[in-house]
Amino acid sequence: MEKVALAEAFDSFDETWSPRLAGELNGQAVKLAKADGEFVCHRHEEADELFLVRDGRLRIEFREAADTVLDPGEFAIVPRGTEHRPVAEPEAEIMLFEPSETRNTGNVETDETVTDPERLD
């Protein structure tokens, strides 16, 4: 068993919108990311995605529903197939829970696409 200290884990990287793999369980990944500004609008056809805010504020914009705003200690689950765009103003520290093979940009390919997230030390 390995313990993860979230403060230390988030302090170990500076890149935004580039998730780090913090752990895996039952085919699910626990990813940490720093978010700043707008991310790409995308969807995950085969996977639900949980966003949990540790610090800052995250707004998740939806094409077909009202935006969801998350403050520290709050989470929301984006159902599979739902087009969404995360926006952090100002910067936010977020935890993501999703199937291990889930790409951060879902059905969209951009310069920010991460197919094999770096594992935290």
Side-chain angles (χ1 to χ4, degrees):
M1 283 193 264
E2 293 185 33
K3 176 173 71 170
V4 175
L6 291 177
E8 291 174 18
F10 278 107
D11 285 346
S12 73
F13 64 96
D14 293 318
E15 298 83 10
T16 58
W17 301 117
S18 183
R20 299 300 197 271
L21 184 61
E24 294 181 273
L25 64 157
N26 303 317
Q28 297 285 309
V30 178
K31 299 174 185 174
L32 306 182
K34 290 184 178 179
D36 191 15
E38 299 175 351
F39 196 54
V40 63
C41 190
H42 65 283
R43 68 180 172 274
H44 305 280
E45 296 294 346
E46 303 297 325
D48 300 331
E49 184 175 32
L50 185 146
F51 290 85
L52 184 147
V53 174
R54 179 184 175 273
D55 190 40
R57 174 176 280 178
L58 185 72
R59 183 176 72 249
I60 305 174
E61 299 176 345
F62 300 99
R63 284 202 192 272
E64 299 179 11
D67 295 353
T68 297
V69 176
L70 302 173
D71 289 311
E74 297 180 328
F75 74 86
I77 299 170
V78 177
R80 68 191 73 204
T82 303
E83 198 161 33
H84 61 285
R85 179 172 73 164
V87 179
E89 295 168 341
E91 185 174 291
E93 293 179 350
I94 58 176
M95 295 179 66
L96 303 156
F97 297 86
E98 57 197 7
S100 295
E101 67 278 357
T102 303
R103 285 188 343 174
N104 64 330
T105 58
N107 65 318
V108 177
E109 183 79 29
T110 72
D111 291 340
E112 294 173 313
T113 299
V114 176
T115 56
D116 188 21
E118 185 177 323
R119 183 175 285 277
L120 291 171
D121 291 329

mmCIF file of all heavy atoms in Angstrom, residues 48-82:
data_model
loop_
_atom_site.group_PDB
_atom_site.id
_atom_site.type_symbol
_atom_site.label_atom_id
_atom_site.label_comp_id
_atom_site.label_asym_id
_atom_site.label_seq_id
_atom_site.Cartn_x
_atom_site.Cartn_y
_atom_site.Cartn_z
ATOM 1 N N ASP A 48 -17.898 7.485 -17.611
ATOM 2 C CA ASP A 48 -18.260 8.588 -16.741
ATOM 3 C C ASP A 48 -16.950 9.175 -16.211
ATOM 4 O O ASP A 48 -15.925 8.492 -16.164
ATOM 5 C CB ASP A 48 -19.085 8.105 -15.547
ATOM 6 C CG ASP A 48 -20.387 7.433 -15.953
ATOM 7 O OD1 ASP A 48 -20.944 7.785 -17.009
ATOM 8 O OD2 ASP A 48 -20.853 6.562 -15.197
ATOM 9 N N GLU A 49 -16.995 10.435 -15.784
ATOM 10 C CA GLU A 49 -15.788 11.092 -15.285
ATOM 11 C C GLU A 49 -16.150 11.899 -14.044
ATOM 12 O O GLU A 49 -17.072 12.706 -14.075
ATOM 13 C CB GLU A 49 -15.226 12.004 -16.375
ATOM 14 C CG GLU A 49 -13.926 12.673 -16.042
ATOM 15 C CD GLU A 49 -13.392 13.467 -17.226
ATOM 16 O OE1 GLU A 49 -14.186 14.003 -18.034
ATOM 17 O OE2 GLU A 49 -12.166 13.561 -17.330
ATOM 18 N N LEU A 50 -15.410 11.662 -12.952
ATOM 19 C CA LEU A 50 -15.648 12.385 -11.716
ATOM 20 C C LEU A 50 -14.581 13.461 -11.557
ATOM 21 O O LEU A 50 -13.389 13.176 -11.664
ATOM 22 C CB LEU A 50 -15.606 11.434 -10.519
ATOM 23 C CG LEU A 50 -15.952 12.056 -9.167
ATOM 24 C CD1 LEU A 50 -16.675 11.046 -8.301
ATOM 25 C CD2 LEU A 50 -14.729 12.584 -8.450
ATOM 26 N N PHE A 51 -15.024 14.696 -11.329
ATOM 27 C CA PHE A 51 -14.139 15.825 -11.042
ATOM 28 C C PHE A 51 -14.324 16.189 -9.577
ATOM 29 O O PHE A 51 -15.443 16.480 -9.153
ATOM 30 C CB PHE A 51 -14.525 17.060 -11.863
ATOM 31 C CG PHE A 51 -14.247 16.961 -13.327
ATOM 32 C CD1 PHE A 51 -15.164 16.372 -14.186
ATOM 33 C CD2 PHE A 51 -13.075 17.489 -13.857
ATOM 34 C CE1 PHE A 51 -14.916 16.308 -15.546
ATOM 35 C CE2 PHE A 51 -12.828 17.433 -15.220
ATOM 36 C CZ PHE A 51 -13.742 16.839 -16.068
ATOM 37 N N LEU A 52 -13.223 16.198 -8.804
ATOM 38 C CA LEU A 52 -13.246 16.625 -7.409
ATOM 39 C C LEU A 52 -12.257 17.778 -7.268
ATOM 40 O O LEU A 52 -11.096 17.641 -7.666
ATOM 41 C CB LEU A 52 -12.857 15.478 -6.481
ATOM 42 C CG LEU A 52 -12.930 15.779 -4.990
ATOM 43 C CD1 LEU A 52 -13.326 14.528 -4.233
ATOM 44 C CD2 LEU A 52 -11.643 16.340 -4.438
ATOM 45 N N VAL A 53 -12.713 18.909 -6.737
ATOM 46 C CA VAL A 53 -11.847 20.075 -6.592
ATOM 47 C C VAL A 53 -11.196 20.060 -5.221
ATOM 48 O O VAL A 53 -11.873 19.971 -4.195
ATOM 49 C CB VAL A 53 -12.648 21.383 -6.799
ATOM 50 C CG1 VAL A 53 -11.780 22.607 -6.504
ATOM 51 C CG2 VAL A 53 -13.188 21.447 -8.219
ATOM 52 N N ARG A 54 -9.874 20.129 -5.214
ATOM 53 C CA ARG A 54 -9.122 20.207 -3.962
ATOM 54 C C ARG A 54 -8.877 21.666 -3.585
ATOM 55 O O ARG A 54 -8.945 22.043 -2.430
ATOM 56 C CB ARG A 54 -7.790 19.478 -4.090
ATOM 57 C CG ARG A 54 -6.960 19.559 -2.834
ATOM 58 C CD ARG A 54 -5.602 18.902 -3.003
ATOM 59 N NE ARG A 54 -4.808 19.116 -1.827
ATOM 60 C CZ ARG A 54 -4.045 20.183 -1.613
ATOM 61 N NH1 ARG A 54 -3.970 21.128 -2.506
ATOM 62 N NH2 ARG A 54 -3.350 20.291 -0.505
ATOM 63 N N ASP A 55 -8.574 22.488 -4.598
ATOM 64 C CA ASP A 55 -8.276 23.887 -4.347
ATOM 65 C C ASP A 55 -8.701 24.697 -5.564
ATOM 66 O O ASP A 55 -8.632 24.205 -6.695
ATOM 67 C CB ASP A 55 -6.773 24.065 -4.087
ATOM 68 C CG ASP A 55 -6.428 25.451 -3.579
ATOM 69 O OD1 ASP A 55 -7.185 25.997 -2.750
ATOM 70 O OD2 ASP A 55 -5.404 25.997 -4.016
ATOM 71 N N GLY A 56 -9.152 25.913 -5.351
ATOM 72 C CA GLY A 56 -9.574 26.758 -6.455
ATOM 73 C C GLY A 56 -11.043 26.550 -6.792
ATOM 74 O O GLY A 56 -11.833 26.111 -5.955
ATOM 75 N N ARG A 57 -11.382 26.836 -8.019
ATOM 76 C CA ARG A 57 -12.777 26.706 -8.472
ATOM 77 C C ARG A 57 -12.762 26.188 -9.903
ATOM 78 O O ARG A 57 -11.989 26.631 -10.735
ATOM 79 C CB ARG A 57 -13.478 28.050 -8.408
ATOM 80 C CG ARG A 57 -14.880 28.011 -9.008
ATOM 81 C CD ARG A 57 -15.581 29.312 -8.840
ATOM 82 N NE ARG A 57 -16.086 29.328 -7.464
ATOM 83 C CZ ARG A 57 -16.735 30.337 -6.935
ATOM 84 N NH1 ARG A 57 -16.950 31.424 -7.615
ATOM 85 N NH2 ARG A 57 -17.170 30.269 -5.705
ATOM 86 N N LEU A 58 -13.653 25.243 -10.184
ATOM 87 C CA LEU A 58 -13.781 24.671 -11.519
ATOM 88 C C LEU A 58 -15.219 24.803 -11.983
ATOM 89 O O LEU A 58 -16.140 24.434 -11.264
ATOM 90 C CB LEU A 58 -13.376 23.187 -11.513
ATOM 91 C CG LEU A 58 -13.358 22.513 -12.883
ATOM 92 C CD1 LEU A 58 -12.173 23.001 -13.701
ATOM 93 C CD2 LEU A 58 -13.303 21.004 -12.737
ATOM 94 N N ARG A 59 -15.381 25.371 -13.165
ATOM 95 C CA ARG A 59 -16.702 25.428 -13.796
ATOM 96 C C ARG A 59 -16.692 24.406 -14.926
ATOM 97 O O ARG A 59 -15.766 24.360 -15.720
ATOM 98 C CB ARG A 59 -16.977 26.831 -14.352
ATOM 99 C CG ARG A 59 -18.371 26.980 -14.955
ATOM 100 C CD ARG A 59 -18.668 28.394 -15.418
ATOM 101 N NE ARG A 59 -17.916 28.736 -16.613
ATOM 102 C CZ ARG A 59 -16.918 29.611 -16.676
ATOM 103 N NH1 ARG A 59 -16.513 30.247 -15.591
ATOM 104 N NH2 ARG A 59 -16.293 29.858 -17.808
ATOM 105 N N ILE A 60 -17.707 23.576 -14.967
ATOM 106 C CA ILE A 60 -17.839 22.623 -16.064
ATOM 107 C C ILE A 60 -18.997 23.094 -16.916
ATOM 108 O O ILE A 60 -20.137 23.166 -16.448
ATOM 109 C CB ILE A 60 -18.065 21.189 -15.555
ATOM 110 C CG1 ILE A 60 -16.949 20.786 -14.581
ATOM 111 C CG2 ILE A 60 -18.121 20.216 -16.733
ATOM 112 C CD1 ILE A 60 -17.160 19.451 -13.915
ATOM 113 N N GLU A 61 -18.689 23.456 -18.150
ATOM 114 C CA GLU A 61 -19.701 23.938 -19.081
ATOM 115 C C GLU A 61 -20.238 22.765 -19.894
ATOM 116 O O GLU A 61 -19.479 21.877 -20.290
ATOM 117 C CB GLU A 61 -19.098 24.981 -20.030
ATOM 118 C CG GLU A 61 -18.556 26.197 -19.322
ATOM 119 C CD GLU A 61 -17.865 27.185 -20.240
ATOM 120 O OE1 GLU A 61 -17.540 26.818 -21.398
ATOM 121 O OE2 GLU A 61 -17.625 28.314 -19.802
ATOM 122 N N PHE A 62 -21.535 22.778 -20.124
ATOM 123 C CA PHE A 62 -22.204 21.733 -20.897
ATOM 124 C C PHE A 62 -22.950 22.370 -22.061
ATOM 125 O O PHE A 62 -23.492 23.455 -21.932
ATOM 126 C CB PHE A 62 -23.202 20.971 -20.020
ATOM 127 C CG PHE A 62 -22.569 20.295 -18.840
ATOM 128 C CD1 PHE A 62 -22.611 20.880 -17.582
ATOM 129 C CD2 PHE A 62 -21.937 19.076 -18.983
ATOM 130 C CE1 PHE A 62 -22.027 20.267 -16.495
ATOM 131 C CE2 PHE A 62 -21.352 18.447 -17.895
ATOM 132 C CZ PHE A 62 -21.396 19.040 -16.647
ATOM 133 N N ARG A 63 -22.993 21.675 -23.178
ATOM 134 C CA ARG A 63 -23.752 22.177 -24.327
ATOM 135 C C ARG A 63 -25.252 22.077 -24.093
ATOM 136 O O ARG A 63 -26.009 22.922 -24.545
ATOM 137 C CB ARG A 63 -23.394 21.388 -25.582
ATOM 138 C CG ARG A 63 -22.064 21.744 -26.165
ATOM 139 C CD ARG A 63 -22.004 21.366 -27.633
ATOM 140 N NE ARG A 63 -20.655 21.434 -28.134
ATOM 141 C CZ ARG A 63 -20.095 22.524 -28.630
ATOM 142 N NH1 ARG A 63 -20.765 23.645 -28.669
ATOM 143 N NH2 ARG A 63 -18.862 22.501 -29.085
ATOM 144 N N GLU A 64 -25.677 21.036 -23.390
ATOM 145 C CA GLU A 64 -27.109 20.769 -23.266
ATOM 146 C C GLU A 64 -27.632 20.828 -21.836
ATOM 147 O O GLU A 64 -28.679 20.280 -21.530
ATOM 148 C CB GLU A 64 -27.416 19.402 -23.888
ATOM 149 C CG GLU A 64 -27.050 19.361 -25.365
ATOM 150 C CD GLU A 64 -27.312 18.018 -26.005
ATOM 151 O OE1 GLU A 64 -27.962 17.163 -25.384
ATOM 152 O OE2 GLU A 64 -26.862 17.825 -27.137
ATOM 153 N N ALA A 65 -26.885 21.493 -20.954
ATOM 154 C CA ALA A 65 -27.327 21.616 -19.558
ATOM 155 C C ALA A 65 -26.675 22.854 -18.955
ATOM 156 O O ALA A 65 -25.743 23.427 -19.528
ATOM 157 C CB ALA A 65 -26.935 20.368 -18.765
ATOM 158 N N ALA A 66 -27.161 23.240 -17.788
ATOM 159 C CA ALA A 66 -26.584 24.386 -17.083
ATOM 160 C C ALA A 66 -25.173 24.046 -16.605
ATOM 161 O O ALA A 66 -24.863 22.888 -16.305
ATOM 162 C CB ALA A 66 -27.472 24.755 -15.895
ATOM 163 N N ASP A 67 -24.319 25.053 -16.544
ATOM 164 C CA ASP A 67 -22.967 24.868 -16.031
ATOM 165 C C ASP A 67 -23.012 24.396 -14.578
ATOM 166 O O ASP A 67 -23.949 24.705 -13.843
ATOM 167 C CB ASP A 67 -22.177 26.181 -16.075
ATOM 168 C CG ASP A 67 -21.941 26.690 -17.486
ATOM 169 O OD1 ASP A 67 -22.260 25.979 -18.458
ATOM 170 O OD2 ASP A 67 -21.429 27.819 -17.606
ATOM 171 N N THR A 68 -21.968 23.693 -14.177
ATOM 172 C CA THR A 68 -21.792 23.277 -12.790
ATOM 173 C C THR A 68 -20.527 23.938 -12.266
ATOM 174 O O THR A 68 -19.478 23.868 -12.920
ATOM 175 C CB THR A 68 -21.650 21.744 -12.689
ATOM 176 O OG1 THR A 68 -22.868 21.142 -13.144
ATOM 177 C CG2 THR A 68 -21.371 21.297 -11.273
ATOM 178 N N VAL A 69 -20.613 24.585 -11.105
ATOM 179 C CA VAL A 69 -19.455 25.226 -10.496
ATOM 180 C C VAL A 69 -19.085 24.443 -9.245
ATOM 181 O O VAL A 69 -19.928 24.192 -8.382
ATOM 182 C CB VAL A 69 -19.746 26.701 -10.148
ATOM 183 C CG1 VAL A 69 -18.560 27.327 -9.433
ATOM 184 C CG2 VAL A 69 -20.091 27.483 -11.409
ATOM 185 N N LEU A 70 -17.798 24.079 -9.168
ATOM 186 C CA LEU A 70 -17.301 23.283 -8.047
ATOM 187 C C LEU A 70 -16.276 24.083 -7.256
ATOM 188 O O LEU A 70 -15.322 24.625 -7.823
ATOM 189 C CB LEU A 70 -16.649 21.993 -8.550
ATOM 190 C CG LEU A 70 -17.526 21.066 -9.382
ATOM 191 C CD1 LEU A 70 -16.696 19.922 -9.952
ATOM 192 C CD2 LEU A 70 -18.668 20.538 -8.536
ATOM 193 N N ASP A 71 -16.464 24.132 -5.943
ATOM 194 C CA ASP A 71 -15.529 24.758 -5.028
ATOM 195 C C ASP A 71 -14.765 23.653 -4.289
ATOM 196 O O ASP A 71 -15.118 22.471 -4.395
ATOM 197 C CB ASP A 71 -16.290 25.646 -4.043
ATOM 198 C CG ASP A 71 -16.840 26.897 -4.715
ATOM 199 O OD1 ASP A 71 -16.070 27.565 -5.431
ATOM 200 O OD2 ASP A 71 -18.034 27.203 -4.521
ATOM 201 N N PRO A 72 -13.729 24.013 -3.521
ATOM 202 C CA PRO A 72 -12.959 22.993 -2.813
ATOM 203 C C PRO A 72 -13.849 22.050 -2.000
ATOM 204 O O PRO A 72 -14.781 22.483 -1.318
ATOM 205 C CB PRO A 72 -12.041 23.809 -1.908
ATOM 206 C CG PRO A 72 -11.852 25.082 -2.657
ATOM 207 C CD PRO A 72 -13.198 25.354 -3.289
ATOM 208 N N GLY A 73 -13.561 20.764 -2.128
ATOM 209 C CA GLY A 73 -14.314 19.750 -1.397
ATOM 210 C C GLY A 73 -15.572 19.285 -2.103
ATOM 211 O O GLY A 73 -16.280 18.421 -1.588
ATOM 212 N N GLU A 74 -15.851 19.815 -3.303
ATOM 213 C CA GLU A 74 -17.045 19.417 -4.047
ATOM 214 C C GLU A 74 -16.654 18.603 -5.273
ATOM 215 O O GLU A 74 -15.574 18.790 -5.832
ATOM 216 C CB GLU A 74 -17.842 20.646 -4.494
ATOM 217 C CG GLU A 74 -18.373 21.453 -3.330
ATOM 218 C CD GLU A 74 -19.168 22.672 -3.767
ATOM 219 O OE1 GLU A 74 -18.859 23.265 -4.819
ATOM 220 O OE2 GLU A 74 -20.118 23.031 -3.030
ATOM 221 N N PHE A 75 -17.557 17.703 -5.665
ATOM 222 C CA PHE A 75 -17.315 16.937 -6.882
ATOM 223 C C PHE A 75 -18.591 16.820 -7.684
ATOM 224 O O PHE A 75 -19.694 17.009 -7.184
ATOM 225 C CB PHE A 75 -16.715 15.557 -6.584
ATOM 226 C CG PHE A 75 -17.660 14.544 -6.008
ATOM 227 C CD1 PHE A 75 -18.462 13.763 -6.830
ATOM 228 C CD2 PHE A 75 -17.727 14.335 -4.636
ATOM 229 C CE1 PHE A 75 -19.328 12.804 -6.296
ATOM 230 C CE2 PHE A 75 -18.582 13.384 -4.093
ATOM 231 C CZ PHE A 75 -19.386 12.622 -4.931
ATOM 232 N N ALA A 76 -18.400 16.495 -8.956
ATOM 233 C CA ALA A 76 -19.517 16.236 -9.856
ATOM 234 C C ALA A 76 -19.106 15.117 -10.795
ATOM 235 O O ALA A 76 -17.917 14.958 -11.125
ATOM 236 C CB ALA A 76 -19.882 17.479 -10.659
ATOM 237 N N ILE A 77 -20.080 14.342 -11.224
ATOM 238 C CA ILE A 77 -19.840 13.259 -12.168
ATOM 239 C C ILE A 77 -20.448 13.652 -13.503
ATOM 240 O O ILE A 77 -21.625 13.965 -13.584
ATOM 241 C CB ILE A 77 -20.442 11.938 -11.665
ATOM 242 C CG1 ILE A 77 -19.784 11.545 -10.342
ATOM 243 C CG2 ILE A 77 -20.286 10.844 -12.725
ATOM 244 C CD1 ILE A 77 -20.458 10.393 -9.632
ATOM 245 N N VAL A 78 -19.617 13.636 -14.541
ATOM 246 C CA VAL A 78 -20.073 13.913 -15.902
ATOM 247 C C VAL A 78 -20.401 12.567 -16.540
ATOM 248 O O VAL A 78 -19.515 11.722 -16.695
ATOM 249 C CB VAL A 78 -18.992 14.653 -16.716
ATOM 250 C CG1 VAL A 78 -19.456 14.873 -18.151
ATOM 251 C CG2 VAL A 78 -18.644 15.984 -16.052
ATOM 252 N N PRO A 79 -21.656 12.336 -16.898
ATOM 253 C CA PRO A 79 -22.035 11.051 -17.489
ATOM 254 C C PRO A 79 -21.382 10.828 -18.854
ATOM 255 O O PRO A 79 -21.152 11.781 -19.609
ATOM 256 C CB PRO A 79 -23.555 11.149 -17.646
ATOM 257 C CG PRO A 79 -23.978 12.254 -16.734
ATOM 258 C CD PRO A 79 -22.828 13.203 -16.700
ATOM 259 N N ARG A 80 -21.114 9.572 -19.160
ATOM 260 C CA ARG A 80 -20.522 9.219 -20.451
ATOM 261 C C ARG A 80 -21.337 9.812 -21.591
ATOM 262 O O ARG A 80 -22.553 9.952 -21.503
ATOM 263 C CB ARG A 80 -20.398 7.706 -20.599
ATOM 264 C CG ARG A 80 -21.745 7.014 -20.724
ATOM 265 C CD ARG A 80 -21.626 5.518 -20.614
ATOM 266 N NE ARG A 80 -21.355 5.219 -19.211
ATOM 267 C CZ ARG A 80 -20.751 4.129 -18.784
ATOM 268 N NH1 ARG A 80 -20.385 3.207 -19.608
ATOM 269 N NH2 ARG A 80 -20.529 3.947 -17.506
ATOM 270 N N GLY A 81 -20.620 10.223 -22.637
ATOM 271 C CA GLY A 81 -21.263 10.776 -23.811
ATOM 272 C C GLY A 81 -21.691 12.225 -23.691
ATOM 273 O O GLY A 81 -22.211 12.799 -24.638
ATOM 274 N N THR A 82 -21.466 12.848 -22.525
ATOM 275 C CA THR A 82 -21.874 14.233 -22.298
ATOM 276 C C THR A 82 -20.752 15.182 -22.696
ATOM 277 O O THR A 82 -19.651 15.129 -22.133
ATOM 278 C CB THR A 82 -22.235 14.458 -20.815
ATOM 279 O OG1 THR A 82 -23.269 13.548 -20.443
ATOM 280 C CG2 THR A 82 -22.688 15.884 -20.574
#
